[in-house]
Amino acid sequence: MSTQEIQEIQCNDPVQSLPPEVASQVFVFAAVEGLQSALQLAEVCPMWRDLAWSTPHLWTTWSVSLGLVRNQTRIERLTTLLDRSGVLPLDIVVEYLSPSQSADTGCLLQVSPETDKEIITKLNNNSDRWRHLKLRLPAPLFSQFHGNQGKLVLEELTLRAPETSANQKTSPIFRMNADEYPEPIKIDILKFRLNDLKVGWSRLTVARVHSIQLDECLQLLRVAPQIEELTLKNLEGIKEEYFPLPLEPIQHDKLRKLTLVSDDQSAEFFDNIALPYLEDLDIWQVLLADPSFHDFIRRSSSPLRLRLSGVTIEDDKDLIEPAFKGLERCTALVHLEMDIIEKSEAFTVAFLERLAATSLAAHGESPFLSHLSALRFMRDRPFPWPLLLPVFGPLDQLTNPCRRPLNEVEFCVGNSGYDFQCWGTDNVSANPRIIDRDSIRGLFSVFDAGLKIQITEMDRDGNREDLLQKSFDFHFGTAH
């Protein structure tokens, strides 16, 4: 908040005319940046300062750093925040800043274990108020956040041990001294063994899990029956078995959204789970031709939204048909997003041609991706523009019950150094970044039919342009 803004507020202060309880609520809504906003509000004038200090909700979200100097200042600040927040639940971030070279003074910052211990003690004494707790600490420090006995209100728990601790002999442990284990609703863990995380799992609905073994991940699905959203990153092979692998795939009836970012363990993970009510699947680096993926999809029969990110398609044409078979297994697929990596355009051409050829089902047959209603397709240049319009099928057959219900399409073209190649026409030679004239004419007939299509170009920095409008303006002028 600038000095001029502060002066204007002091001269025309509507807050002073409000009842204190109403003014406090206004402050809470205005504090969009948490503690920083609260401090700014308190600096405007004495009246605002008193009001801010007496509004506990302004002081419930803050961070604490361990491993720093300025000992007494940090303790006094923490004491003030705890006092001003009253008895309200707290949203706390605790992080450890390792000794580093100060850019301003060139002096080495000293670790202060005594001060850190006092800070941790104060936080433990208020563990019955922890609502959202985020710890980013070296492995040995996690066990010091044990809290005190009492009823817990913990809803969200984030525990992140740094990557450098992976080779340390000490594994991070989180165990509280409360009468019962905390039962968070959301959890985010990195570099934790599941056995070293002492929490209750019965209320868990959202989990983000980084760098755990396959057997631990499957155990999580066993003990968390209410989980609805699961993100798995860097799923590891079994180096030391902590939990037995199932004899039959584990069926989880609550999981609706699954994100899997793993290069090595995808097949084994798919072999061991059944998610019959899965609605949203986001996968990186998975081969569509993998039989494990096919069987997993067969066991998941609900209407599905599928994202395939960074899918690598080999140039070997013999591998394209097995990839299509993987998609054919997705009989309930309603929304498909594909981010394709291929050296040639063979898969892209074959995929678009397959969609066009199967847009209308023959009597008694189920066409390729028969329930698909929305498609998002991304790849680098070149792109076969003339093949886009046919994926909708004949535009005079939109009401045909045998037509695939594909009514919304988005194509995103990455401009990462590939030269544009014109497909069968030379009227774009003046500007190789735009779509050819004939394709533009056809694509705008899609709008006239009431369908949706969006074509964008993305540069190396992730910025996007409306390539459809850009190409139309190039060919026909902005006045059309």
Side-chain angles (χ1 to χ4, degrees):
M1 190 177 296
S2 66
T3 303
Q4 182 178 356
E5 290 174 327
I6 293 176
Q7 292 175 346
E8 290 177 355
I9 291 174
Q10 291 175 332
C11 295
N12 305 285
D13 185 5
V15 175
Q16 297 189 25
S17 63
L18 297 175
E21 61 275 11
V22 175
S24 291
Q25 286 299 312
V26 171
F27 275 20
V28 172
F29 285 120
V32 293
E33 296 182 4
L35 181 60
Q36 182 62 31
S37 295
L39 294 173
Q40 290 178 337
L41 290 170
E43 291 176 352
V44 172
C45 64
M47 182 267 185
W48 281 37
R49 180 193 60 210
D50 294 341
L51 182 61
W53 286 3
S54 61
T55 304
H57 283 90
L58 292 177
W59 312 98
T60 59
T61 302
W62 31 267
S63 61
V64 179
S65 296
L66 304 180
L68 290 176
V69 292
R70 299 185 298 275
N71 302 349
Q72 197 60 36
T73 301
R74 287 194 292 149
I75 295 173
E76 291 175 355
R77 176 180 179 272
L78 176 58
T79 302
T80 299
L81 292 172
L82 290 171
D83 290 342
R84 290 182 185 173
S85 58
V87 296
L88 295 178
L90 300 173
D91 302 338
I92 308 171
V93 177
V94 185
E95 58 184 350
Y96 183 86
L97 302 181
S98 58
S100 60
Q101 198 72 19
S102 171
D104 298 327
T105 64
C107 298
L108 188 66
L109 296 179
Q110 299 295 320
V111 178
S112 178
E114 295 81 9
T115 302
D116 289 349
K117 184 177 180 180
E118 186 171 351
I119 289 175
I120 293 172
T121 298
K122 284 182 174 293
L123 293 175
N124 281 330
N125 289 338
N126 288 271
S127 61
D128 59 336
R129 299 171 58 197
W130 295 350
R131 179 176 58 186
H132 300 165
L133 179 64
K134 180 180 292 187
L135 303 179
R136 294 194 289 259
L137 306 169
L141 289 182
F142 282 95
S143 61
Q144 297 184 32
F145 285 82
H146 47 69
N148 288 327
Q149 292 187 354
K151 187 175 179 60
L152 300 176
V153 297
L154 189 64
E155 296 179 357
E156 295 187 20
L157 178 63
T158 299
L159 304 173
R160 289 178 167 264
E163 295 289 343
T164 53
S165 68
N167 296 324
Q168 294 180 359
K169 295 182 179 180
T170 303
S171 298
I173 297 175
F174 182 80
R175 177 182 298 174
M176 296 187 65
N177 291 336
D179 298 333
E180 298 179 355
Y181 286 153
E183 294 188 348
I185 298 173
K186 296 182 180 181
I187 198 166
D188 186 336
I189 58 175
L190 170 64
K191 291 294 181 182
F192 260 81
R193 300 270 70 90
L194 202 63
N195 275 335
D196 295 330
L197 181 58
K198 305 302 180 182
V199 300
W201 303 102
S202 61
R203 293 203 311 155
L204 187 67
T205 59
V206 179
R208 294 175 57 89
V209 183
H210 310 246
S211 304
I212 67 169
Q213 293 186 168
L214 174 65
D215 60 326
E216 295 176 292
C217 175
L218 296 174
Q219 178 67 8
L220 176 62
L221 291 175
R222 288 189 184 103
V223 299
Q226 301 300 320
I227 191 168
E228 298 177 358
E229 181 177 335
L230 176 62
T231 299
L232 299 173
K233 292 188 176 182
N234 301 326
L235 190 60
E236 300 174 351
I238 300 176
K239 301 174 183 178
E240 179 182 351
E241 186 172 293
Y242 297 97
F243 304 99
L245 292 178
L247 299 177
E248 297 291 336
I250 297 173
Q251 179 170 317
H252 199 292
D253 293 337
K254 290 289 187 178
L255 194 61
R256 298 294 188 268
K257 182 176 181 180
L258 172 63
T259 300
L260 177 61
V261 185
S262 179
D263 294 335
D264 301 327
Q265 301 300 314
S266 298
E268 290 187 70
F269 177 72
F270 289 137
D271 283 338
N272 286 284
I273 59 171
L275 307 175
Y277 299 100
L278 186 67
E279 298 174 356
D280 201 317
L281 176 61
D282 191 342
I283 300 177
W284 288 33
Q285 295 293 352
V286 64
L287 291 176
L288 291 175
D290 193 319
S292 297
F293 178 67
H294 297 174
D295 292 339
F296 164 73
I297 288 297
R298 178 178 52 79
R299 296 191 294 267
S300 304
S301 57
S302 65
L304 184 64
R305 179 187 181 101
L306 175 63
R307 298 184 190 90
L308 299 172
S309 302
V311 178
T312 301
I313 303 295
E314 301 292 341
D315 289 339
D316 189 346
K317 292 185 178 181
D318 292 337
L319 297 178
I320 293 179
E321 192 61 31
F324 285 155
K325 289 188 180 297
L327 289 173
E328 286 177 347
R329 297 294 183 111
C330 305
T331 56
L333 191 62
V334 296
H335 185 116
L336 175 62
E337 298 184 18
M338 300 182 72
D339 182 358
I340 299 298
I341 299 173
E342 58 175 335
K343 294 180 180 179
S344 71
E345 62 280 357
F347 176 82
T348 299
V349 171
F351 177 70
L352 297 178
E353 289 179 341
R354 178 69 65 93
L355 285 177
T358 58
S359 61
L360 293 175
H363 181 70
E365 294 184 1
S366 179
F368 177 66
L369 300 180
S370 58
H371 294 91
L372 188 67
S373 62
L375 171 67
R376 182 184 182 275
F377 194 93
M378 180 176 179
R379 61 153 291 146
D380 281 333
R381 291 181 180 273
F383 205 96
W385 304 118
L387 298 180
L388 301 191
L389 177 60
V391 301
F392 290 99
L395 297 182
D396 59 353
Q397 297 290 320
L398 296 182
T399 59
N400 188 331
C402 295
R403 173 186 175 270
R404 178 190 297 113
L406 183 59
N407 298 323
E408 182 176 346
V409 172
E410 178 184 353
F411 293 100
C412 181
V413 182
N415 187 24
S416 59
Y418 285 84
D419 291 330
F420 180 84
Q421 297 177 4
C422 179
W423 287 67
T425 180
D426 60 358
N427 59 6
V428 295
S429 57
N431 189 338
R433 293 184 59 199
I434 52 91
I435 307 171
D436 65 273
R437 178 188 292 265
D438 292 339
S439 294
I440 286 294
R441 289 185 184 277
L443 291 173
F444 271 88
S445 67
V446 171
F447 290 110
D448 295 336
L451 304 176
K452 295 181 180 180
I453 186 168
Q454 181 180 1
I455 303 177
T456 58
E457 181 180 36
M458 184 170 63
D459 64 17
R460 297 181 182 183
D461 297 326
N463 301 313
R464 297 196 181 194
E465 289 185 339
D466 186 338
L467 191 56
L468 191 59
Q469 185 65 52
K470 179 180 176 180
S471 301
F472 182 86
D473 294 342
F474 175 81
H475 291 298
F476 306 108
T478 56
H480 289 73

